[in-house]
Amino acid sequence: MAYSTMWVAVPSVIQWLLCYRTIQTRYAYRSSFMYQPLADVRILDCTRLLPYHYCTQLLGDLGAEIIKVEEPIVGDYGRWGDASRSYESPAYLLANRNKKSLKLNLKHENGKAIFKKLVPDYDVIIESFRPGVMDRLGLGYEVIKEIKADIIYCSTNGFGQTGPLRDKPGHDLNYLAVSGILGLTGQHTGRPVVPGALFSDLAGGGLFTAFAILSALMGKANSDPKDNGGQYIDVCQADVMASFNLLGVAEHIAAQKGKKPRPVDLRGGSIVYNTYITKDGRFMSLGCNEEKFWRNFLEATDRMDLMEFHLSDYREGDQGTEAVKTLMASKTQQEWLDLLKDVDTCVMPVLDTGQMLEDEQLRERGVVTYMDDPDRGRLVQLGFPAKFSDQLDTMRSPSPTFGQHTDEILGDLGYDENARAQLKEDGVI
């Protein structure tokens, strides 16, 4: 499956936005040591679960202040590793650094009052409830913009705020299904294949929601002085995945015209774009779409007799397919790495997660890194996946414990110890 192509365009646009954004002094911050392009941005995060953990962590890594607003009994249930809440989820610890946690019951009138009291000091509100929930709580966009006209208010979920599916629940697999992407998989299995990563969650709910918020911040900074720059944003994972199905749509259009969209099948239907088992039972990925890369690979293996199969289909039992399978199974994964180390060709090992965490390239790039937590010890972290000429200050604080900053935040609002104790007794915090 050619899912890697999904990640190319959006990150590059975000990098452009952020580079341009540094010209605007309102949201730019520089020190001689670390770079925080969103240092003056403050975000009230009313979301739950991994897609939106990832979204606000990206913004937090860029310097934004993130306040996780959590229901005071269970909180964001994405933080727990089991139903009894006996331990923190490792995924939570990987996706919530640089945030603060505030216990606040938005169903309680005093909780709503506190939330509204916070609003004037914040630039962005993000929520991930089903459509209408925030309105029923009296905290929807129309109410909030009366408190702060230039607020950027983002609603993000599975199917969006409009359309016949707006009230339907769903998960990553469901959004991939309705986007047509899942239907493109499974050519060799007879049924669609469940991906090994949560593409819709992380790209749709996470990355693209962050991209939309950044765009609104940029628009606000560049807006006409007569315009307050406020914005309501509606993002949904199904929409994002449908937009990622560009090649699938192109193929459909080509087929309607009786044409082939491209010479190489990128979903396992071509010999040169596939995975193969090695002598030691591991796998290698072959991506030699271009003739030069296929030629270089064959020259390195002394198998130029296979050159004719460059654009051949992958079919079990066919001469070309079986010959390449036999070739790839003749060496261990490490032997292939050693042989092709200096060869200009597109052949890479299929790593498991343990191998990925030890990968020299990813460690050098800072994608695999660590953070010291005074309470939890040394934590594995996945770094911000873009590099700037000034080093980002992405490891400022570990994921917050449940309600860790409640006293601090309410204290700043003027609630003393006695008032906070009463709020706790009343079930507000």
Side-chain angles (χ1 to χ4, degrees), residues 213-383:
I213 290 171
L214 285 171
S215 300
L217 286 169
M218 188 175 185
K220 180 177 176 179
N222 295 324
S223 64
D224 188 296
K226 297 178 182 179
D227 182 4
N228 60 47
Q231 197 68 237
Y232 178 74
I233 307 170
D234 172 7
V235 182
C236 82
Q237 296 179 45
D239 288 358
V240 176
M241 289 300 98
S243 76
F244 280 10
N245 194 10
L246 189 150
L247 285 179
V249 173
E251 289 176 349
H252 179 74
I253 293 172
Q256 287 181 323
K257 297 179 179 180
K259 296 179 180 180
K260 190 174 182 179
R262 58 180 181 273
V264 177
D265 186 298
L266 300 180
R267 293 191 297 276
S270 294
I271 286 177
V272 297
Y273 198 87
N274 228 305
T275 58
Y276 294 90
I277 194 167
T278 58
K279 188 176 181 179
D280 55 347
R282 294 185 179 276
F283 292 88
M284 296 293 289
S285 66
L286 203 64
C288 300
N289 298 353
E290 295 82 3
E291 182 178 332
K292 64 179 180 179
F293 294 133
W294 181 237
R295 182 182 299 278
N296 291 345
F297 169 69
L298 295 180
E299 287 178 347
T301 57
D302 196 25
R303 287 302 306 270
M304 287 302 296
D305 59 302
L306 300 179
M307 191 67 201
E308 65 178 294
F309 299 111
H310 174 229
L311 297 181
S312 297
D313 292 339
Y314 182 100
R315 291 193 181 94
E316 298 288 347
D318 280 7
Q319 178 186 355
T321 299
E322 296 304 318
V324 176
K325 285 171 60 179
T326 300
L327 173 61
M328 298 306 295
S330 68
K331 301 181 186 300
T332 66
Q333 187 183 76
Q334 187 59 52
E335 288 172 339
W336 278 117
L337 293 176
D338 294 340
L339 175 65
L340 301 174
K341 181 179 180 181
D342 298 318
V343 178
D344 189 31
T345 192
C346 305
V347 183
M348 284 290 150
V350 177
L351 304 182
D352 60 32
T353 303
Q355 289 176 302
M356 180 275 284
L357 291 173
E358 299 299 326
D359 183 70
E360 181 180 2
Q361 169 73 12
L362 296 177
R363 284 175 170 267
E364 170 67 23
R365 296 280 298 168
V367 177
V368 177
T369 186
Y370 297 89
M371 172 183 279
D372 290 323
D373 185 320
D375 298 315
R376 304 178 181 109
R378 199 176 194 221
L379 302 176
V380 174
Q381 293 288 285
L382 300 176

Side-chain angles (χ1 to χ4, degrees), residues 161-178:
Q161 304 299 304
T162 60
L165 298 179
R166 66 189 295 271
D167 293 318
K168 292 285 288 184
H171 285 292
D172 183 274
L173 188 67
N174 306 126
Y175 312 133
L176 287 172
V178 300

